[in-house]
Amino acid sequence: MGARYVIELKHGTDALRAVEPTSAEVAKAASRLASFYNEPHNQAMLAHEGASSVSDVVAHYRGLASEGAHAFLLQFNGVMVGDADLRHVEVEQAEVAILIGDRTIQGKGLGTRFGVMLHAFAFRALGLRRLYASIIPANAASLRLFAKLGYEPDDSAAARRYIDEPNDVTLSLAFDRFDDLHGALARRVRINSPPSAIANSRHKNTTGPHRR
């Protein structure tokens, strides 16, 4: 895993950053990430059956990278507070996962702001048109978060591809709806592209929501 994208948003006096980490950065962050995943409430909402070890976290990030996912460490005023990723990335769609792992700051709007950042990246930098989420019914906080972002229930075959359990709630969000709800904030998001992405963009004529 080489250093790739960095997404930034200034919100008042607060600085939010989502960093796509190197392998060394994942190894450094793995212990704190494991503590987030293993916090009892978080573990239940993530539907993890057992505790995650440091090596489990490293393997999880390695697996995401191998399948072409974009995983991010979330930093609030310089402190890592969670992680997020876009997985199962295809030509126009992907699945989204967001975790504010620090229980002391959950429910205070950070998830929504980081969510806007991640979606700005998905729609602008990757040119995706629709994003999906699959959430266990008991995870009321995540259901509220995705509703705030503009997601709506979606029981289509395309959405149900992402379920882990038959009773999972599936949701989706199209670019136009996201832009209507969060376009003003999303346009304040700064996306720092790696040199390889900049070079590739010079050799292809890309169309999609990020061109609007």
Side-chain angles (χ1 to χ4, degrees):
M1 286 179 282
R4 290 174 282 176
Y5 289 94
V6 176
I7 312 169
E8 298 178 305
L9 175 65
K10 291 284 188 180
H11 191 80
T13 60
D14 295 326
L16 289 78
R17 298 179 84 237
V19 180
E20 198 170 21
T22 62
S23 296
E25 289 168 334
V26 170
K28 184 177 180 179
S31 178
R32 184 161 173 81
L33 288 171
S35 72
F36 289 157
Y37 300 165
N38 295 334
E39 192 282 329
H41 175 80
N42 291 342
Q43 185 175 340
M45 296 302 98
L46 292 168
H48 288 179
E49 294 184 359
S52 298
S53 66
V54 168
S55 60
D56 289 334
V57 173
V58 172
H60 169 62
Y61 270 76
R62 187 181 298 119
L64 287 172
S66 69
E67 70 172 32
H70 292 273
F72 294 90
L73 304 180
L74 306 181
Q75 301 172 354
F76 178 61
N77 293 333
V79 177
M80 190 178 71
V81 296
D83 65 352
D85 64 76
L86 291 161
R87 61 187 72 175
H88 305 128
V89 180
E90 300 179 45
V91 174
E92 294 189 341
Q93 63 192 46
E95 182 185 7
V96 180
I98 303 170
L99 172 68
I100 301 300
D102 186 339
R103 289 280 289 151
T104 66
I105 57 174
Q106 288 179 357
K108 298 184 178 180
L110 275 183
T112 303
R113 280 176 267 168
F114 277 117
V116 169
M117 293 166 63
L118 191 67
H119 286 69
F121 167 76
F123 290 127
R124 283 166 45 193
L126 301 186
L128 305 183
R129 293 184 178 276
R130 182 173 292 273
L131 298 175
Y132 295 91
S134 178
I135 303 169
I136 66 170
N139 195 344
S142 284
L143 291 170
R144 286 194 299 270
L145 165 60
F146 280 88
K148 288 178 183 176
L149 291 170
Y151 279 75
E152 297 177 306
D154 186 344
D155 290 323
S156 67
R160 300 303 291 175
R161 292 169 57 201
Y162 302 110
I163 63 171
D164 293 313
E165 299 294 337
N167 66 339
D168 284 354
V169 177
T170 45
L171 312 164
S172 71
L173 174 65
F175 167 75
D176 288 342
R177 178 169 169 80
F178 172 78
D179 195 49
D180 287 343
L181 293 172
H182 302 289
L185 182 60
R187 282 184 278 276
R188 291 168 46 200
V189 173
R190 180 178 177 182
I191 301 171
N192 297 311
S193 303
S196 59
I198 296 172
N200 289 340
S201 71
R202 295 176 182 149
H203 297 287
K204 64 181 180 179
N205 180 18
T206 307
T207 59
H210 58 296
R211 289 291 185 179
R212 293 180 57 159

